[in-house]
Amino acid sequence: MFVLALDGVPYSLLKRLMADGKMPNFRRLVESGGVLQRMRSVLPPISSCAWASFMTGKGPAGHNIYGFIERDPQTMEVHVPTANDLRAETLWHRLSDAGKRVFVMNVPVTFPPKPLNGIMISGFLAPDIDRACYPPQIAAGLKQSGYIIDVDTVQARRELETFRRTLPVALEKRIDTMWRFYRRENWDFFMAHIMETDRLHHFVWAQMEDGHPVWSDFFYGIYDRVDKLIGEIVQETGNKYELLILSDHGFERLRKEVFLNKYLFDKGYLKFTGQHAPESLQDIHPQSTAYSLIPGRVYINLKGREKQGTVEPGLEYESLRSRLRADLLEMKDPADGRPIVREVLTREEAYGSHNSLGREWTVNTSDPAYLAPDLLVVNQPGYDFKGNLWRENLCEESPVTGMHTPDDAFVCSRRGITGKSDPEITDCMAAILDFFSGDADRRSKKN
């Protein structure tokens, strides 16, 4: 099987591009029998959560990745979740254990790379190429070829000209590396992940929608290259490989960034120690009852769980959570009164976890839902929740012009390997394992 992952590419955008004649190779794949479907992502729809769900077949409560930033409630220290935080077995290790030769390049949440029967090049969370590779000796060749783990998104926030020069270079290095390893041996499972589409959308989405004379051409130029790549893959793999192409979430225009902790502070739920702007979760005052992490994850300052928790489990917790939920639903854009929040989900609704926070609740770090937020705030279109502890304003415009959505990812395969009319990204692992076990062949013949 050959898997091409196009990070953040929406189903709706692909449909429009094909209708406009901009992706002829992809259109031919679909018209010649490829099954193209809209696919649902996870909540929150960020790459680390979504790709962890792809590679484990589980949602966040099953694999333990809830966001780009996580806190240890016992210490209130934060860290970036990595592959070391995964609590579920991955697709590539299942295949490796079955004796399959696998190649995995650039997929998020694969750092640090774990030993497997093949080659792994970790994705954008890897700090450098030397630590991104298994086996380690392949790093030398990647450095010599100028391989780029990711473009500089911090610099892109400051100015876009460098971004316009470096993004196509990173994409070409990714493609060149992909083909070099593809031709190295006959793989059982080969997966290449393209992050450049996600980066393109974050910084050029609005310009594309507005038809900017320079940036819309740049946007569609990247898609021309992606479509050419798809044509090359279709021709090269032929009947030797099952082909699966997918994304992890959709995209839409970002109107404003929303600083949820500002709202909690103004409503009296969040307080800080000292007279200066807080710098870390350590600066949260014990009298606080709630705080937030990116994106839209709200935590009750629960006694026995948080370092300085004061809210009692049971009735006090449930009462506070209900009141907080009602307040969050009332959040409006100060500029025009637009509603910011679509819905507020409890941890049970969002992740299917049982309510273990009753009166008899005790700390259980082995509980799969231990790190789940108490409330998950789901945005209205265009509003992107941020986790900054302090901000003067609730809403601000941003140099980022595109944001993720949970309901507009896509999946395309020659035979519709998920076998479902309404697939979710968590369905992909089982479908791939079924394919290798022969179940996909049996299902295809039956249909």
Side-chain angles (χ1 to χ4, degrees), residues 9-279:
V9 172
Y11 170 88
S12 57
L13 176 65
L14 286 177
K15 294 287 284 186
R16 179 173 68 80
L17 292 176
M18 286 191 293
D20 292 344
K22 292 186 184 295
M23 294 195 74
N25 290 303
F26 189 70
R27 187 178 68 248
R28 276 193 292 272
L29 172 64
V30 174
E31 291 176 348
S32 64
V35 181
L36 172 63
Q37 297 174 282
R38 177 179 272 116
M39 182 170 67
R40 282 180 287 136
S41 185
V42 294
L43 290 173
I46 62 175
S47 294
S48 58
C49 299
W51 289 117
S53 294
F54 167 83
M55 71 179 75
T56 65
K58 299 179 182 295
H63 56 60
N64 195 48
I65 306 293
Y66 292 92
F68 281 133
I69 297 292
E70 192 55 79
R71 98 287 190 221
D72 179 346
Q74 294 291 289
T75 65
M76 298 303 279
E77 295 179 351
V78 299
H79 68 280
V80 177
T82 69
N84 288 333
D85 295 282
L86 284 171
R87 291 190 177 181
E89 191 175 20
T90 65
L91 167 64
W92 16 93
H93 289 96
R94 288 280 297 274
L95 293 174
S96 291
D97 290 345
K100 305 298 183 184
R101 285 289 287 173
V102 302
F103 174 85
V104 182
M105 181 181 73
N106 200 47
V107 180
V109 203
T110 55
F111 174 81
K114 309 294 184 182
L116 77 174
N117 183 27
I119 290 174
M120 176 173 286
I121 303 170
S122 297
F124 74 106
L125 290 180
D128 55 62
I129 293 175
D130 284 320
R131 288 178 280 177
C133 302
Y134 179 86
Q137 56 265 31
I138 69 170
L142 292 175
K143 289 194 291 185
Q144 186 176 9
S145 68
Y147 181 81
I148 299 170
I149 294 176
D150 195 10
V151 293
D152 189 341
T153 55
V154 175
Q155 184 181 37
R157 280 178 168 265
R158 295 193 295 263
E159 58 92 17
L160 283 178
E161 284 305 316
T162 302
F163 177 78
R164 185 165 63 156
R165 291 194 306 270
T166 57
L167 188 77
V169 174
L171 177 57
E172 289 303 327
K173 295 294 183 183
R174 192 96 59 220
I175 293 171
D176 289 347
T177 301
M178 180 197 82
W179 285 125
R180 178 155 52 89
F181 281 99
Y182 171 81
R183 295 181 176 116
R184 188 162 156 170
E185 63 177 278
N186 292 320
W187 302 94
D188 294 303
F189 178 85
F190 188 97
M191 180 171 181
H193 172 276
I194 303 297
M195 179 57 82
E196 287 70 38
T197 43
D198 175 272
R199 301 316 191 205
L200 177 74
H201 298 165
H202 274 303
F203 291 101
V204 192
W205 188 270
Q207 297 91 316
M208 175 273 294
E209 284 194 341
D210 293 342
H212 188 283
V214 173
W215 290 106
S216 61
D217 286 348
F218 176 71
F219 186 99
Y220 293 124
I222 295 296
Y223 269 88
D224 287 343
R225 182 64 185 96
V226 170
D227 184 66
K228 180 182 176 184
L229 171 63
I230 291 171
E232 293 167 351
I233 291 172
V234 170
Q235 182 175 2
E236 182 73 25
T237 58
N239 295 322
K240 296 186 298 182
Y241 285 81
E242 172 62 55
L243 179 60
L244 175 65
I245 309 176
L246 78 158
S247 65
D248 57 329
H249 53 74
F251 248 90
E252 67 184 7
R253 189 180 191 126
L254 189 155
R255 296 186 69 250
K256 293 180 181 178
E257 293 178 336
V258 180
F259 300 96
L260 201 47
N261 281 317
K262 167 66 173 172
Y263 189 77
L264 296 176
F265 177 83
D266 289 345
K267 289 290 185 179
Y269 292 102
L270 179 59
K271 305 176 188 296
F272 301 108
T273 59
Q275 301 299 315
H276 302 288
E279 297 181 355

Side-chain angles (χ1 to χ4, degrees), residues 265-321:
F265 177 83
D266 289 345
K267 289 290 185 179
Y269 292 102
L270 179 59
K271 305 176 188 296
F272 301 108
T273 59
Q275 301 299 315
H276 302 288
E279 297 181 355
S280 72
L281 297 182
Q282 306 286 343
D283 296 324
I284 293 178
H285 197 283
Q287 291 180 356
S288 297
T289 54
Y291 62 95
S292 176
L293 294 180
I294 188 173
R297 293 175 289 156
V298 176
Y299 300 88
I300 303 295
N301 192 26
L302 187 67
K303 188 175 183 179
R305 184 182 66 183
E306 264 66 16
K307 180 180 180 181
Q308 299 185 86
T310 55
V311 178
E312 293 285 348
L315 184 60
E316 185 179 357
Y317 169 85
E318 293 293 355
S319 176
L320 172 65
R321 191 166 66 158

